[in-house]
């Protein structure tokens, strides 16, 4: 990329990520907890041992092993057969799935801003480390996709895609996940960014995304007002996605009941993920994305 292109990509990115944050992101990479077998050979080297140019270790020869990988120098010294093992090059896909339904536009700060910034940060890390990056958006099914990006040249396109996507419409998570699975190829990491406030529930959709070939990360983003509402009096509540209404009287007992139910729902998602080898993160839209990226996501080994 020439200097003009680099400046352009930085200018668009700085609407989501500041320069100091990007400089810190340059030093980290995404990490797959699984031993992934990609269809393409790329720059990434996994823990899986295969046939490439980077030597890893030796092991004793057993009948049936390929004699081309015998270390004849060791045989000459020890009169024993050892096989040379190599680190296999892997091509890792980072698939970021963003909720852009009407509900994520709510909150102060808005959940959608947190989700855009987090998607930008994760996409940035993937691209600068030459991983293959795909970003998909959903509301009433799968809406848009920027697929198979690789390298810094795509930073400007990624920023433009994230900044130009509007949050609107109802959530159809199950339908979106069915579409995602039908188009999923290769191996890698899938990260779902959403408030997970689906009337249909999260279970049907997430079941489609569980895969032996993909590490699944579920990041639930809620606003401070959802985590700890401060409401009083008689209210008429209107669902922003389907205009359903309910008239309620806010009381201390009702708020306590709400918080207990919300906590139970979040724990249900967490338990669902834990039982299936996925990772769950609850994020507050008022918290800095920098802290989540540089601290917590490194502790759970999504980043390193």
């Amino acid at each position: 990329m020439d200097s003009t292109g680099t400046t352009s990509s930085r200018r668009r990115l700085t609407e989501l990520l500041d320069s100091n944050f990007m400089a810190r992101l340059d030093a980290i990479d995404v990490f797959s907890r699984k031993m992934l077998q990609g269809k393409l050979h790329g720059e990434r080297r996994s823990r899986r041992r295969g046939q490439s140019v980077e030597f890893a270790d030796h092991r004793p020869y057993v009948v049936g092993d390929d004699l081309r990988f015998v270390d004849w120098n060791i045989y000459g010294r020890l009169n024993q057969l050892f096989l040379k093992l190599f680190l296999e090059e892997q091509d890792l896909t980072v698939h970021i799935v963003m909720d852009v339904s009407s509900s994520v536009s709510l909150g102060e700060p808005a959940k959608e801003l947190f989700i855009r910034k987090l998607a930008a940060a994760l996409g940035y890390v993937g691209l600068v480390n030459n991983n293959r990056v795909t970003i998909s958006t959903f509301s009433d099914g799968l809406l848009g996709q920027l697929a198979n990006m690789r390298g810094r040249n795509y930073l400007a396109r990624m920023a433009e895609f994230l900044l130009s996507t509007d949050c609107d419409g109802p959530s159809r998570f199950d339908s979106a996940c069915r579409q995602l699975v039908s188009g999923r190829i290769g191996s890698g990491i899938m990260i779902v960014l959403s408030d997970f406030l689906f009337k249909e529930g999260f279970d049907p959709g997430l079941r489609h995304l569980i895969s032996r070939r993909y590490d699944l990360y579920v990041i639930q983003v809620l606003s401070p007002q959802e985590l700890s509402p401060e409401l009083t009096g008689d209210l008429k509540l209107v669902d922003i996605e389907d205009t359903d209404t309910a008239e309620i009287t806010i009381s201390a007992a009702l708020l306590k009941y709400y918080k207990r139910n919300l906590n139970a729902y979040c724990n249900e998602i967490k338990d669902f993920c834990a039982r299936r080898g996925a990772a769950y993160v609850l994020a507050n839209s008022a918290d800095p994305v920098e802290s989540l990226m540089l601290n917590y996501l490194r502790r759970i080994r999504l980043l390193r």
Side-chain angles (χ1 to χ4, degrees), residues 247-266:
E247 294 184 1
I248 61 173
T249 298
I250 302 294
S251 65
L254 184 59
L255 287 176
K256 185 176 180 180
Y257 176 78
Y258 164 84
K259 290 179 182 179
R260 184 167 63 246
N261 280 357
L262 178 63
N263 187 59
Y265 179 67
C266 295

Side-chain angles (χ1 to χ4, degrees), residues 238-302:
V238 181
D239 189 313
I240 192 173
E241 294 189 358
D242 60 15
T243 69
D244 279 356
T245 61
E247 294 184 1
I248 61 173
T249 298
I250 302 294
S251 65
L254 184 59
L255 287 176
K256 185 176 180 180
Y257 176 78
Y258 164 84
K259 290 179 182 179
R260 184 167 63 246
N261 280 357
L262 178 63
N263 187 59
Y265 179 67
C266 295
N267 283 333
E268 188 180 347
I269 303 174
K270 182 178 180 180
D271 292 343
F272 176 95
C273 292
R275 290 195 302 270
R276 292 162 177 82
Y280 168 81
V281 177
L282 176 60
N284 186 327
S285 67
D287 291 338
V289 169
E290 293 85 345
S291 178
L292 181 65
M293 285 288 295
L294 299 174
N295 297 319
Y296 189 77
L297 295 187
R298 296 177 85 172
R299 287 203 300 272
I300 66 171
R301 301 189 72 193
L302 169 56

